[in-house]
């Protein structure tokens, strides 16, 4: 089933809702970075939340969110384009908490010990790349989605309820992921928003994840009065490319290039964001070197 973010309004309440299913994206992130269960759940919640924030942003561009922690997880990063391309990483891929007391494979896992204390930075860049805004807040709850909800309420001053969750099987493999973002329009029914938030905190989304639902089925189950505006496909997709890797090699001077040719070894470049591995053959480096020498006369 394809990952999708459905944007709706609740017309009677003047609330905007976005509901996303992100199972394939979170599983792709887990496979790319070889994430153990706690790292996978944390990054999956962040990817889902950032995907919701970016696809519902009023302006085209990218939204990047970084969590920096003084814990063994150290750092989480995700970014999303307005049209639903998601990427990111967990600095420590190997975190694997056992289920805590009261937790089951079907319940929400607590991430607090992995996420507190620390800070969140949110960077929004418009398509005109010169324009960007950055804001920082402390990590309040240590559950990713609740922290971003706090950020959106405090920093953006928009009444917001946000929940994102990732479920894994007994082997720690991601089996389902989804998220819900609700925001009030001016004069929106903030009491209803409060009730939505209370239900989310009470585990409403996580209970729906116990069975496989498409995004439109999640909308129907959670918001029967929703009117759909549009749907944006979401996917694990980085903006790195072999062309960009070669571009960075072209930035090196002839001395460095000559040394690389002398060593006659392929150059391996790993993308931090999506873990894709690029291998540049010595013949390719020789080509860049020759072009540089020629250009210098
Ligand atoms: Zn990449």
């Amino acid at each position: 089933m394809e990952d999708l973010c459905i944007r709706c309004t609740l017309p009677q309440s003047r609330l905007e809702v976005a509901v996303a299913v992100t199972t394939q994206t979170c599983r792709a992130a887990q496979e790319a970075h070889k994430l153990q269960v706690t790292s996978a759940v944390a990054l999956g919640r962040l990817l889902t939340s950032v995907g919701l924030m970016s696809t519902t942003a009023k302006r085209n561009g990218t939204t990047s969110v970084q969590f920096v922690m003084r814990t063994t997880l150290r750092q989480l990063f995700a970014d999303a384009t307005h049209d639903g391309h998601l990427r990111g990483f967990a600095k420590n891929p190997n975190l694997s908490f056992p289920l805590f007391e009261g937790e089951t494979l079907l319940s929400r896992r607590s991430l607090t010990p992995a996420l507190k204390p620390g800070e969140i930075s949110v960077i929004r860049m418009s398509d005109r790349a010169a324009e960007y805004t950055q804001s920082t807040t402390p990590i309040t709850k240590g559950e990713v989605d609740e922290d971003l909800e706090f950020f959106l309420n405090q920093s953006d001053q928009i009444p917001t309820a946000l929940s994102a969750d990732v479920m894994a099987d007994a082997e720690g493999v991601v089996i389902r992921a989804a998220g819900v973002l609700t925001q009030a329009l001016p004069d929106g029914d903030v009491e209803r928003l409060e009730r939505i938030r209370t239900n989310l905190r009470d585990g409403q989304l996580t209970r729906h994840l116990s069975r496989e639902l498409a995004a439109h089925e999640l909308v129907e189950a959670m918001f029967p009065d929703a009117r759909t505006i549009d749907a944006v496909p979401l996917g694990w997709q980085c903006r790195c490319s072999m062309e960009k890797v070669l571009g960075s090699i072209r930035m090196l001077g002839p001395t460095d290039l000559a040394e690389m040719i002398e060593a006659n070894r392929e150059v391996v470049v790993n993308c931090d964001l999506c873990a894709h591995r690029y291998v540049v053959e010595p013949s390719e480096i020789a080509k860049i070197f020759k072009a540089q020498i020629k250009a210098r006369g």
Side-chain angles (χ1 to χ4, degrees):
M1 195 169 12
E2 175 189 48
D3 285 354
L4 201 64
C5 176
I6 297 181
R7 297 188 286 191
C8 329
T9 58
L10 309 180
Q12 303 302 319
S13 313
R14 290 191 53 75
L15 298 177
E16 288 187 326
V17 176
V19 174
V21 168
T22 54
T23 306
Q24 303 301 331
T25 304
C26 294
R27 199 177 287 156
Q30 180 173 42
E31 283 170 10
H33 292 295
K34 300 181 173 53
L35 302 175
Q36 299 288 316
V37 66
T38 306
S39 303
V41 170
L43 182 59
R45 280 189 202 168
L46 183 59
L47 285 165
T48 304
S49 302
V50 177
L52 286 164
M53 286 165 65
S54 194
T55 51
T56 57
K58 300 293 176 244
R59 288 191 302 174
N60 285 1
T62 57
T63 302
S64 308
V65 178
Q66 176 171 244
F67 280 61
V68 177
M69 291 79 70
R70 294 180 285 284
T71 66
T72 54
L73 188 57
R74 292 165 60 206
Q75 188 189 2
L76 285 177
F77 176 89
D79 88 6
T81 63
H82 193 62
D83 50 2
H85 296 175
L86 304 171
R87 60 181 184 173
F89 63 86
K91 195 78 176 174
N92 175 359
N94 300 318
L95 204 60
S96 175
F97 292 155
L99 291 170
F100 295 125
E101 202 181 322
E103 290 181 352
T104 70
L105 288 172
L106 294 178
S107 70
R108 185 170 159 95
R109 287 164 177 257
S110 173
L111 295 178
T112 305
L115 274 112
K116 274 179 81 172
E119 284 83 38
I120 309 169
S121 300
V122 176
I123 297 177
R124 293 181 174 109
M125 193 158 325
S126 80
D127 277 345
R128 284 174 291 163
E131 285 176 33
Y132 81 97
T133 58
Q134 178 173 7
S135 321
T136 303
T137 52
I139 294 172
T140 48
K141 286 286 169 76
E143 296 291 344
V144 181
D145 51 356
E146 292 182 57
D147 303 291
L148 283 168
E149 180 188 278
F150 179 82
F151 170 86
L152 292 165
N153 279 299
Q154 291 294 310
S155 203
D156 286 3
Q157 305 264 307
I158 299 173
T160 299
L162 172 65
S163 182
D165 212 0
V166 177
M167 205 167 265
D169 66 13
E171 274 72 52
V173 176
V174 170
I175 50 167
R176 288 200 239 306
V180 179
L181 174 71
T182 307
Q183 294 193 302
L185 294 162
D187 309 323
D189 182 350
V190 287
E191 282 174 19
R192 181 166 182 200
L193 184 85
E194 280 302 326
R195 290 198 296 278
I196 290 170
R197 183 186 295 134
T198 303
N199 287 336
L200 291 172
R201 290 294 96 82
D202 196 35
Q204 186 191 30
L205 175 67
T206 310
R207 282 194 295 279
H208 283 302
L209 287 186
S210 63
R211 61 203 172 102
E212 191 168 340
L213 290 175
H216 72 91
E217 292 171 312
L218 255 184
V219 172
E220 282 160 23
M222 295 177 79
F223 306 101
D225 60 331
R227 186 184 298 160
T228 298
I229 301 168
D230 61 7
V232 182
L234 300 175
W236 175 251
Q237 187 157 358
C238 194
R239 299 191 288 284
C240 63
S241 65
M242 185 54 130
E243 198 37 54
K244 285 184 182 167
V245 170
L246 293 177
S248 63
I249 292 174
R250 282 192 200 102
M251 304 288 278
L252 299 172
T255 319
D256 290 326
L257 291 173
E259 272 175 27
M260 289 161 87
I261 293 164
E262 179 74 23
N264 197 34
R265 275 197 306 263
E266 57 190 27
V267 174
V268 178
V269 179
N270 289 304
C271 176
D272 289 338
L273 288 160
C274 72
H276 191 86
R277 187 169 183 271
Y278 292 92
V279 179
V280 184
E281 297 298 332
S283 61
E284 199 63 47
I285 297 164
K287 237 188 263 175
I288 293 170
F289 177 73
K290 276 180 205 155
Q292 247 187 34
I293 296 299
K294 209 173 162 190
R296 286 171 186 231

